[in-house]
Amino acid sequence: MNVLILGSGGREHAFALKLSESKKVTQLFVAPGNAGTDKLATNIDINITDFEAIKEIVLENAIKMVVVGPEVPLVAGVHDFFLADDELKDIPVIGPKKDGALLEGSKDFSKQFMQKHGVPTAKYQSFTKDNLEDGYAFLEMLTPPYVLKADGLAAGKGVLILNSLEEAKTELEDMVSNKKFGEASTTVVIEEFLKGIELSVFVLTDGKSYKILPSAKDYKRIGEGDAGLNTGGMGAISPVPFADAAFLNKVEELVVKPTIAGLQKDGIDYRGFIFIGLMNDNGNPSVVEYNVRMGDPETEVVLPRIESDLFDLFEGVAHQNLHEKSFSVTDKTATTVMLVSGGYPEAYEKNKEIKGFDAVDESIVFHAGTTMKDNKVVTSGGRVMAVTSFGDTIEEALEKSYRSIDKIHFDQMNYRKDIGFDLV
Ligand code: AMP
Ligand code: GLY
């Protein structure tokens, strides 16, 4: 069967690698893909919110399944587009329709959903410019730090955590009145600050049953010791040692089951991934956010640990018989370290030739921001490559990732040397 993956990051390279291992997959296509997916699949250079262009690729290449990597096409309704088209409606899309994608597309919606279905999460209220004064009053009732979130998608930049009340009020006004994050901050969610350690749990669901995928922890800050600006993610580890069986059992009972049941009660037929961002506060889970896709770079440690055929699981999602599918995960630890362009997450240069990654033999190199130019692999983004390794322990896996990184080079290459520092 021919499969199309939408996206171009390390996450999509990891999907491509895993799907390429399935006997049931004949030809793989990735749109737009990167220099890594180019080796496993046919890259097709289109804009993934151009649904007519996707339709053309699907029909031309007899594609029988579409796997959506990032949230933007889901929130824009790519799955709904398929269902509404006579020629596409029987081709399964892995990823929710617009109604389900709102779990990530609107923080206000997702908070309402959690409250309605009894999923533990921080107390909150939402405000617009029409009730700004109420927003100030709500802030005054909270204790610092203050958490302000743009309701809509803001490319991962829409969350502000502020220590002073004055600053929080100024930012709130800037968000709702001056559209600091454009239309995304027309509505702002203000919520209680949650204490604890963060981790993520991933769920694959066909809308009725679910599989809980390995947990992971990512390292979002650019600097060592978790300092500096937020990035898309500088590395990840799976499993998470502090997410023991007792904690994961609580997550399943208090978060996963009410989430799946809530979607059903609300008539949302959800087929795809749910990425649950959690705070572990003394063994008690609280949901920080839902995303409607896999995480990046979390996927680069989660998928390699899954031993089952991913395509088979996706068929289960498509045909709503996921409960019949076998699912197993290795006990080994996987770590990934992200190589980034110097300057990222601020301005950085592209088109740097990347050397040495072909010589890596004890890790998997997932390409993220790479492209082919004059037969050379060059950088094309801030996050360039994720170097994933297995080990019996976190230390062993990390040693391999760092040894492999020693072989890779591009001008101004940067990476964190302390991934997992808080866990070992
Ligand atoms: P989000 O986009 O909702 O994941 O928020 C981005 C980051 O802000 C999260 O990964 C957390 O580190 C932090 N964050 C968000 N909400 C809260 C909260 N209520 N309490 C503490 N930290 C939070
Ligand atoms: N690594 C965080 C994310 O994918 O949203």
Side-chain angles (χ1 to χ4, degrees), residues 51 82 94 116 134 145 152 166 168 183 204 216-217 227 249 261 271 275-276 283 340 409 422:
F51 299 161
F82 270 63
I94 306 302
K116 183 171 164 192
D134 298 338
E166 279 322 302
E183 294 305 321
L204 181 65
K217 184 176 194 301
N249 188 48
R271 317 271 181 105
F275 163 161
I276 306 172
V340 305
H409 176 78
D422 53 340

Side-chain angles (χ1 to χ4, degrees), residues 218 232 275 293 295-298:
D218 84 337
F275 163 161
R293 54 175 171 83
D296 195 351
E298 293 91 329

Side-chain angles (χ1 to χ4, degrees), residues 3 5 16-17 20 27-31 34 36-44:
V3 179
I5 301 167
L17 181 62
S20 72
Q27 255 189 298
L28 261 180
F29 297 84
V30 187
N34 58 39
T37 63
D38 190 45
K39 293 276 177 292
L40 299 167
T42 305
N43 284 348
I44 305 182

